[in-house]
Amino acid sequence: MEPPKVQQSGEGGLNVTLTIRLLMHGKEVGSIIGKKGETVKKMREESGARINISEGNCPERIVTITGPTDAIFKAFAMIAYKFEEDIINSMSNSPATSKPPVTLRLVVPASQCGSLIGKGGSKIKEMRESTGAQVQVAGDMLPNSTERAVTISGAPEAIIQCVKQICVVMLESPPKGATIPYRPKPASTPVIFSGGQAYTIQGQYAIPHPDLTKLHQLAMQQTPFTPLGQTTPAFPGLDASNQASTHELTIPNDLIGCIIGRQGTKINEIRQMSGAQIKIANAMEGSSERQITITGTPANISLAQYLINARFRDVAAMWNDPSSMTTS
C-alpha cells in the first residue's frame, strides 16, 4: 500500500487517497471484468476509484484499487455484492441450502500486519466482533515478496465495515522500509504427450515440440530407481546432470483435486511417468493454497511440471480468456 496522500477537502475534512491491492483467482477476475469489460467500467464510473487488473496468463491476478477513501469503499462494496450475486447464481444450480460467505483477499505489507493483529491479537479480535466478518492474516509472506494475504469473509455489509477498519489501521501505521510487492507467477504453457511426442497447447491446436519430445524420451528411459550420478549421454543438448534437486510449486486448493485424481490415480500416473518424487503438503488452516514438492533429476522435475501443467490445460484456457468466465 502506498503512503497516503492527504489533501484538504472543501468541507474542512481530510480527503485521503490510498491504494488497496486484492488477490483474485481467474474466475473472480472474469466476474469483475464482465462481458466486454462492462462490469469493471461501471464500477470505475460509479465509484470514482481507479481499478487496475494485472496482466498475464496467471492463476492469480492482482486487482489494484486507488482513490479517495469513499471511492475505495464504494468499489469494495460493488465487488462484494457482485461476488454475492455470483454465489446466489451458482446456488440456483446446486442442492446446497446454506449460502457460503463472500471472501476477499487483501495483499498487505508484512510490516503493517502486526498493527492489524494488535497486541495479543486484540485488534483483529475487535474487528471480528464489531463487523461480524471473519479476518485471517497469513503467517507466511507471499512468495518473493514482503507482503501477506489478509482474508476477509462474511456478508458484503460485514466485509465493507471490516475493510474500512483495516484502512484506518493501515493509515495510522504506514509500512516500514521498502515493500517488495507480490507478483503472481505466469501459468506455464500446457503440454501433452502422445505417441512418444510432446505437444504444446496453443489455443485449440497441439503444436509439436521437438525439445520437449527429447526430454520426454529421456525421462521415460529413467526409472525412479536410476542410481544417482549415472549420466545419459544420448541427448547432449540437454543438461546431462543427474544430481537430485528439489522444486516447489504452489497450487490453489480448488485446483489440487485435478492433480491428485480419484483415489490418487493422476498423481501416481505423474510420478510413474516422470520418475520424480512428488509430495503434496496438507491443507493449512487459513491458506487457499497447497505446496507441491518435486524431487528428482532436472529431467524428472521438468517432465513432472509439464505433466502437472497438462492437467491444467482446460483451466488455463479459461484464464487466457477471462471474458468467457462471466456470469450472465
Side-chain angles (χ1 to χ4, degrees), residues 200-213:
T200 55
I201 306 299
Q202 296 178 18
Q204 297 180 340
Y205 300 95
I207 313 297
H209 200 305
D211 292 339
L212 296 184
T213 299

Side-chain angles (χ1 to χ4, degrees), residues 269-317:
E269 192 178 292
I270 293 170
R271 286 179 180 125
Q272 194 171 353
M273 282 188 70
S274 67
Q277 293 179 11
I278 305 171
K279 292 182 181 176
I280 300 175
N282 292 330
M284 297 288 289
E285 190 180 347
S287 173
S288 60
E289 296 169 330
R290 300 273 283 279
Q291 201 79 18
I292 295 182
T293 305
I294 308 170
T295 306
T297 66
N300 295 150
I301 291 171
S302 296
L303 184 52
Q305 282 183 272
Y306 290 131
L307 291 170
I308 287 170
N309 288 330
R311 293 290 302 155
F312 287 148
R313 62 181 178 271
D314 296 332
V315 183

Side-chain angles (χ1 to χ4, degrees), residues 118-136:
K119 194 172 182 180
S122 57
K123 189 67 193 174
I124 201 165
K125 185 184 176 191
E126 180 192 310
M127 280 195 279
R128 286 172 183 148
E129 289 175 353
S130 63
T131 66
Q134 281 298 312
V135 192
Q136 288 183 314

